[in-house]
Amino acid sequence: MDFFEKTLRQTDIYTGRIIHVHVDDVELPNGSTSVREVVEHPGGVSVAALTPANELIFVRQFRYPYHKILLELPAGKLEPGEDPFEAMKREQLEETGTTGENYISLGEVYPTGGYCGEIIRLWACRVTEENHQLHLDEDEFLTPERIPLDKAVEMVCSNEIPDAKTQIGILKTAALVQKGLL
């Protein structure tokens, strides 16, 4: 069966600093119609930065939609036309004060495919330089934190880390380390 849905009409609802929202009328594969609500997002990047002591560098920050402080891998939004790999290295330096080597792509994550087009690109690396000053955005408040990789895996399995990109980054990094690839 062909599952493709054809867009019949798009109605713009909201354009903000980060997202654009539209409602689309679509034709379904069986010929009937439906409505799709879509959030367009420029995409993001994240890095699992692993220290020589096999600790991952995380950030703790308040996430307004959940009204909670979350533990996450360093991450950020892509700027228009920005190369994702360079954006990831920029975010790593800004949020952790570190740089790395042996960057390995962990692929892409579609965090909420039911309504949002955001794609997060993930990498892992070995930290080579530390102690650079953090360069946070003026509306960004976070604290870097180091956690041993094995402990981070346990935290994912015990539901202590709810963030999807962080769970995936931790588990893929652990698999690479186990295979001797990182």
Side-chain angles (χ1 to χ4, degrees):
M1 179 179 211
D2 178 12
F3 295 112
F4 186 78
E5 297 178 1
K6 179 182 175 186
T7 303
L8 302 174
R9 183 177 64 192
Q10 179 175 311
T11 304
D12 293 333
I13 302 298
Y14 172 79
T15 299
R17 190 172 56 93
I18 298 174
I19 64 167
H20 174 79
V21 179
H22 54 89
V23 176
D24 297 357
D25 295 322
V26 300
E27 181 180 330
L28 301 174
N30 66 1
S32 61
T33 60
S34 190
V35 175
R36 300 290 184 242
E37 298 170 346
V38 179
V39 176
E40 292 181 9
H41 185 284
V45 294
S46 183
V47 61
L50 193 62
T51 69
N54 274 353
E55 297 170 315
L56 283 172
I57 303 176
F58 293 87
V59 296
R60 281 198 188 272
Q61 61 184 328
F62 182 76
R63 290 302 196 180
Y64 186 82
Y66 304 107
H67 293 279
K68 291 182 179 179
I69 296 172
L70 297 184
L71 182 68
E72 303 175 53
L73 291 175
K77 176 181 70 73
L78 284 170
E79 299 301 328
E82 189 175 22
D83 175 76
F85 182 70
E86 295 303 319
M88 174 272 305
K89 292 194 302 185
R90 171 182 51 76
E91 289 292 337
Q92 178 184 354
L93 182 60
E94 287 176 4
E95 295 187 359
T96 71
T98 68
T99 57
E101 67 180 7
N102 300 328
Y103 286 91
I104 298 173
S105 173
L106 301 179
E108 297 180 343
V109 175
Y110 296 7
T112 50
Y115 64 88
C116 184
E118 180 182 19
I119 298 172
I120 302 173
R121 290 143 181 103
L122 306 174
W123 281 269
C125 75
R126 281 288 180 176
V127 172
T128 55
E129 289 187 36
E130 301 186 46
N131 300 321
H132 297 278
Q133 184 176 348
L134 301 184
H135 298 284
L136 305 176
D137 297 335
E138 74 176 35
D139 64 346
E140 187 174 38
F141 302 91
L142 57 82
T143 303
E145 184 174 323
R146 295 163 188 261
I147 298 174
L149 179 59
D150 292 343
K151 172 68 175 165
V153 170
E154 290 174 16
M155 292 172 75
V156 169
C157 293
S158 65
N159 296 311
E160 294 176 66
I161 299 176
D163 182 65
K165 73 180 175 309
T166 299
Q167 289 182 359
I168 294 165
I170 291 167
L171 297 177
K172 285 187 170 187
T173 299
L176 288 173
V177 169
Q178 186 176 38
K179 293 177 182 178
L181 300 174
L182 182 65

